[in-house]
Amino acid sequence: MKRIITALSTLLLLTTLTLPCCAEAVFETAWDLNQVWAPSNYPDYVCGVWSNDGGTYDITIAVLNTDEGNRGKEEILELIEDDASVTFTYGEYSRNYLTDVQDELLELFKTKEEHGLISTALDEYESRIALGILKEYKGNKKTEELITNLTSQYGDIFTITYCDEPVLDTLLVTPPITTPITDNTIDNKKSQNITTIVLVLILITSIAFMVIRKRRKTVMQTNAGENITHTPLTEKEIEHTIKSSEIDYPQTLDKKILDEIESK
């Protein structure tokens, strides 16, 4: 089903966004095209996509070394305006195939206590799936059987990485486009992200508390140097004060008003 959806999405993209005979480019750079592909609409001839310098302009697209892959390169160049924004290389397995295998391996995490498999990662550079296995399971009989069975079923699409127990459970991991795969890259990054979020929340809460406290109390200083803390009145208190207040005016005010009227 996933491949059918991918094929239909790719067909729709090519038929709706290109002019007859591909006479005019649709995307400015290869990265713009990749943004339409990501995260799940990659053509079957694409093996991987990554940045060459950490940015979004100069990227490499790995394609299958087949007629389909070579036609795919031509399609990409027809779809983008700036051909210098892409470099091509060949990969061994389709990216879609590798991610499909990752999905099929999800069930194995339910029995990780037997074999130590705790993560999978898409290695787009090498067109492989990196299996993360706990270090203490290296040489374990069940683990070796698992690796043998997976290799027998899927071929040589796996690389093995023995790692420490992660801070957070990781079932399916695909590394960022510009990040090489290392033993603990994923776990360290998640831990750092959680720490950052907690610190930001604490900072926001502290600022909000200070602002609210400042607005609730206003300190006035008299000319004698005394500080008076004033708490704003509520609407009901203000209304009551106005209704119950009396205006004190001089007794001669009425006479002055009458004299002023008569003089006119």
Side-chain angles (χ1 to χ4, degrees):
M1 177 62 70
K2 182 177 180 181
R3 292 189 177 184
I4 294 175
I5 294 175
T6 300
L8 292 175
S9 300
T10 303
L11 180 61
L12 179 63
L13 171 67
L14 294 176
T15 55
T16 58
L17 298 182
T18 58
L19 296 178
C21 300
C22 298
E24 184 177 337
V26 177
F27 303 96
E28 183 176 352
T29 67
W31 177 259
D32 297 326
L33 174 59
N34 180 69
Q35 293 298 92
V36 175
W37 284 344
S40 59
N41 294 325
Y42 286 91
D44 282 336
Y45 60 76
V46 172
C47 301
V49 180
W50 60 86
S51 171
N52 296 320
D53 57 6
T56 59
Y57 175 75
D58 183 14
I59 70 172
T60 290
I61 299 179
V63 299
L64 292 172
N65 189 11
T66 62
D67 291 340
E68 180 187 9
N70 289 315
R71 286 195 302 269
K73 290 196 298 183
E74 296 176 2
E75 291 175 355
I76 292 171
L77 292 175
E78 290 170 347
L79 285 170
I80 65 175
E81 181 177 350
D82 189 350
D83 293 352
S85 66
V86 63
T87 301
F88 291 105
T89 188
Y90 290 113
E92 192 170 351
Y93 297 100
S94 167
R95 189 184 192 279
N96 290 337
Y97 170 68
L98 295 178
T99 54
D100 284 344
V101 172
Q102 278 187 293
D103 292 341
E104 294 172 7
L105 298 183
L106 289 176
E107 287 294 319
L108 293 175
F109 296 112
K110 297 179 180 179
T111 56
K112 63 180 182 179
E113 291 79 9
E114 297 180 7
H115 43 68
L117 177 66
I118 59 171
S119 68
T120 68
L122 180 62
D123 185 352
E124 299 191 58
Y125 303 100
E126 301 296 332
S127 191
R128 293 289 188 275
I129 296 175
L131 302 179
I133 299 176
L134 293 175
K135 290 179 179 179
E136 56 264 33
Y137 284 83
K138 189 173 184 179
N140 180 280
K141 182 178 179 180
K142 288 287 187 180
T143 304
E144 296 298 327
E145 290 178 356
L146 174 65
I147 295 174
T148 299
N149 292 336
L150 290 178
T151 303
S152 175
Q153 182 176 356
Y154 297 105
D156 62 343
I157 68 171
F158 301 107
T159 59
I160 308 299
T161 302
Y162 291 98
C163 54
D164 295 318
E165 181 74 38
V167 177
L168 298 176
D169 288 338
T170 303
L171 297 184
L172 178 62
V173 181
T174 301
I177 190 172
T178 59
T179 305
I181 294 176
T182 59
D183 287 351
N184 297 313
T185 296
I186 299 162
D187 301 330
N188 291 340
K189 187 169 183 178
K190 284 193 173 184
S191 179
Q192 292 172 359
N193 288 343
I194 292 175
T195 302
T196 302
I197 292 172
V198 172
L199 292 176
V200 170
L201 290 176
I202 293 175
L203 178 60
I204 292 174
T205 303
S206 301
I207 293 175
F209 174 77
M210 289 187 292
V211 170
I212 293 173
R213 185 176 181 182
K214 183 176 181 180
R215 293 183 64 180
R216 287 178 63 87
K217 289 187 177 181
T218 303
V219 177
M220 296 186 297
Q221 189 175 59
T222 66
N223 58 0
E226 298 177 350
N227 290 334
I228 301 175
T229 300
H230 170 69
T231 302
L233 298 175
T234 64
E235 292 183 3
K236 290 186 177 180
E237 290 174 335
I238 294 174
E239 182 180 351
H240 175 73
T241 301
I242 293 174
K243 290 181 178 180
S244 61
S245 62
E246 297 181 358
I247 302 176
D248 186 16
Y249 57 89
Q251 295 180 357
T252 59
L253 181 60
D254 292 340
K255 186 177 183 305
K256 288 182 179 181
I257 294 175
L258 292 174
D259 292 343
E260 183 68 22
I261 293 174
E262 291 175 357
S263 65
K264 293 181 179 181

